[in-house]
Amino acid sequence: MVATEAAPRSAELPYDEVVEAPGHPRAAYRALWERFDSLSLAELRRRRALAESAFRTEAITFSVQGERGGSERLLPFDIVPRVLLPDEWRRIELGLVQRVTALNLFLADVYGEQRILTAGAVPPELVLSSPQFRRELVGFPVPKGIHCQLAGIDLVRQPDGTFAVLEDNLRTPSGISYVLNNRRVLRRVLPELFEGYEVRPVEGFVDMLLAGLRAIAPARSGDDPSIALLTPGPLNSAYFEHLFLAKQMGVELVEGSDLAVRDESIYMRTTVGLKRVDVIYRRIDDEFIDPVFGRLDSLVGVPGLVNAYRRGNVAIANGLGNGVADDKAVNALVPEIISYYLGEEPLLDTVPTYLCLRDDDRSFVLDHLDELVVKTVDGSGGHGMLIGPLASANRREEFRRLILARPRSFIAQPLVELSV
């Protein structure tokens, strides 16, 4: 929902995943509680050290942009796993399927007939003014009509125990490799935690992703399409994931310089000559993927790639232009989008969002900068944010000036008390 009047912060305590009262674990955690209780503190520390050693040995890392003196970090790892009951997961799964289905329909419509805009179900000016809306893609053919093969939806557990969507990531979402490796390392260092629980597997994800990429390949590629994962290179914060997924799927990991366009088709340079590429799983944002299409100064893209995509000679996942659906101002309207396309109420709540483009919302945000989280509408990965309660007065004043100068560029949300 879009927030218009609400207290920005809740007085409720954050939800405790493990205990419902001091010394009383929730039913789902009772077996875990007993197993951890049987281990000494020294043994727990030893197991944690083993997990960190596994991450270090296998270089399971991520990098933080802008840090001095080396930015590579081990993935933070908690040896206490989160337990989701079948009913909880079923509702989350149904809610995510509903949400991503509606967002795919929205993308197809916005770059097609624009019925939702004509009907006024969402404000046309809000959508068309999005910095991520690419007018040149209106009428652009998309393989199988699928704009989003892979979505990264950020969920938070609210103080009442229910889940809500904080934001959607439909451009180049990352993080799945850490899920897969977390599970593998935990099973290695604390195998006894899995006893007594029917744990659903996560390992099948890679096969599902590969099947999804094969499904959008051009018809001429036959039953064995050539697939490549396009990465910006080793300096990218998610490069570990690019390398991991390419290995797991058995596809080539390529950079822009490894690809070339010939006769409006994409080819990969190999030791035995050029090899046609049918599907590209891209981990490069729209503006950098093709200097002819986006930024002229891009050194990581492939000149002519978008034209080959337009001709249907290569499929790209996720689709170009998806950013308009995860623009944080447009994203606040997902309940309306679900209602318009599916005729349903959202199964998952959305964290209340204030649109600084609206006069009332903007006044509220400016009066409560010390309590709210302010985000740029096209930001991702935590960049371009103000966490009001933790920010200095100078930093809040800087954001006040930015909001007044460019109100369309910012939204604000209450500071969400994450579960503990």
Side-chain angles (χ1 to χ4, degrees), residues 213 226-231 246 249 251-254 259 268 277-282:
L213 296 175
S226 172
I227 301 172
L229 193 159
L230 177 59
T231 175
M249 289 191 291
V251 305
E252 296 292 340
L253 180 69
V254 298
L259 301 177
M268 175 173 49
V277 176
D278 302 306
V279 181
I280 291 178
Y281 172 36
R282 54 103 174 207

Side-chain angles (χ1 to χ4, degrees), residues 249-288:
M249 289 191 291
V251 305
E252 296 292 340
L253 180 69
V254 298
E255 298 181 33
S257 57
D258 298 319
L259 301 177
V261 176
R262 299 287 188 273
D263 300 323
E264 297 182 324
S265 292
I266 299 296
Y267 292 86
M268 175 173 49
R269 296 183 174 93
T270 74
T271 55
V272 293
L274 295 177
K275 177 184 177 181
R276 188 194 294 269
V277 176
D278 302 306
V279 181
I280 291 178
Y281 172 36
R282 54 103 174 207
R283 297 299 293 264
I284 297 177
D285 286 340
D286 287 7
E287 59 266 38
F288 295 100

Side-chain angles (χ1 to χ4, degrees), residues 308-325:
Y309 178 51
R310 184 194 305 271
R311 296 292 185 184
N313 293 328
V314 66
I316 299 177
N318 280 343
L320 303 177
N322 279 13
V324 67

Side-chain angles (χ1 to χ4, degrees), residues 6-292:
R9 295 193 68 182
S10 169
E12 295 179 90
L13 293 173
Y15 183 84
D16 193 307
E17 298 279 349
V18 179
V19 301
E20 49 193 357
H24 295 281
R26 299 184 187 279
Y29 280 88
R30 191 164 291 121
L32 277 180
W33 178 281
E34 292 171 355
R35 287 185 175 85
F36 275 115
D37 201 37
S38 69
L39 299 173
S40 68
L41 183 58
E43 179 63 12
L44 282 175
R45 287 174 171 161
R46 188 184 75 84
R47 302 286 185 98
R48 180 177 177 80
L50 285 174
E52 290 183 351
S53 176
F55 281 105
R56 186 175 295 107
T57 300
E58 299 176 35
I60 303 173
T61 62
F62 69 100
S63 62
V64 181
Q65 296 179 3
E67 285 198 347
R68 299 174 62 184
S71 61
E72 285 294 321
R73 293 186 185 178
L74 288 181
L75 180 72
F77 180 73
D78 191 341
I79 62 173
V80 181
R82 175 177 297 199
V83 177
L84 293 177
L85 295 171
D87 286 347
E88 287 181 314
W89 179 248
R90 192 174 299 113
R91 183 168 183 82
I92 290 171
E93 186 176 31
L94 290 172
L96 295 179
V97 168
Q98 178 197 57
R99 191 175 185 92
V100 177
T101 298
L103 288 170
N104 253 307
L105 292 170
F106 172 75
L107 286 165
D109 187 19
V110 165
Y111 289 114
E113 298 178 3
Q114 300 188 342
R115 292 178 290 110
I116 195 170
L117 305 185
T118 302
V122 297
E125 66 277 8
L126 189 68
V127 176
L128 299 179
S129 65
S130 169
Q132 296 296 326
F133 176 65
R134 308 301 295 255
R135 286 173 172 78
E136 63 271 39
L137 296 179
V138 173
F140 205 91
V142 177
K144 306 293 173 69
I146 303 172
H147 288 257
C148 180
Q149 283 76 20
L150 182 66
I153 314 297
D154 290 347
L155 294 175
V156 292
R157 175 103 72 168
Q158 301 180 104
D160 64 358
T162 61
F163 285 90
V165 176
L166 186 63
E167 60 185 55
D168 299 311
N169 301 281
L170 307 180
R171 284 172 277 175
T172 55
S174 65
I176 188 63
S177 65
Y178 302 121
V179 174
L180 301 175
N181 282 287
N182 272 1
R183 173 67 63 82
R184 182 172 55 82
V185 170
L186 182 64
R187 192 179 289 277
R188 184 190 306 172
V189 301
L190 277 163
E192 60 266 43
L193 297 187
F194 291 81
E195 297 172 6
Y197 287 95
E198 295 182 14
V199 182
R200 290 183 60 170
V202 296
E203 292 78 11
F205 170 83
V206 172
D207 293 334
M208 294 173 66
L209 175 58
L210 183 58
L213 296 175
R214 288 176 175 274
I216 61 170
R220 57 142 176 82
S221 62
D223 296 330
D224 189 24
S226 172
I227 301 172
L229 193 159
L230 177 59
T231 175
L235 297 181
N236 184 264
S237 61
Y239 184 72
F240 164 79
E241 175 157 292
H242 306 168
L243 182 62
F244 175 82
L245 289 177
K247 284 183 177 179
Q248 292 295 308
M249 289 191 291
V251 305
E252 296 292 340
L253 180 69
V254 298
E255 298 181 33
S257 57
D258 298 319
L259 301 177
V261 176
R262 299 287 188 273
D263 300 323
E264 297 182 324
S265 292
I266 299 296
Y267 292 86
M268 175 173 49
R269 296 183 174 93
T270 74
T271 55
V272 293
L274 295 177
K275 177 184 177 181
R276 188 194 294 269
V277 176
D278 302 306
V279 181
I280 291 178
Y281 172 36
R282 54 103 174 207
R283 297 299 293 264
I284 297 177
D285 286 340
D286 287 7
E287 59 266 38
F288 295 100
I289 198 167
D290 179 347
V292 178

Side-chain angles (χ1 to χ4, degrees), residues 360-376:
D360 290 346
D361 281 14
R362 183 170 63 255
S363 295
F364 183 84
V365 170
L366 293 175
D367 288 342
H368 296 84
L369 280 176
D370 60 336
E371 301 174 64
L372 296 166
V373 176
V374 181
K375 304 176 182 179
T376 54

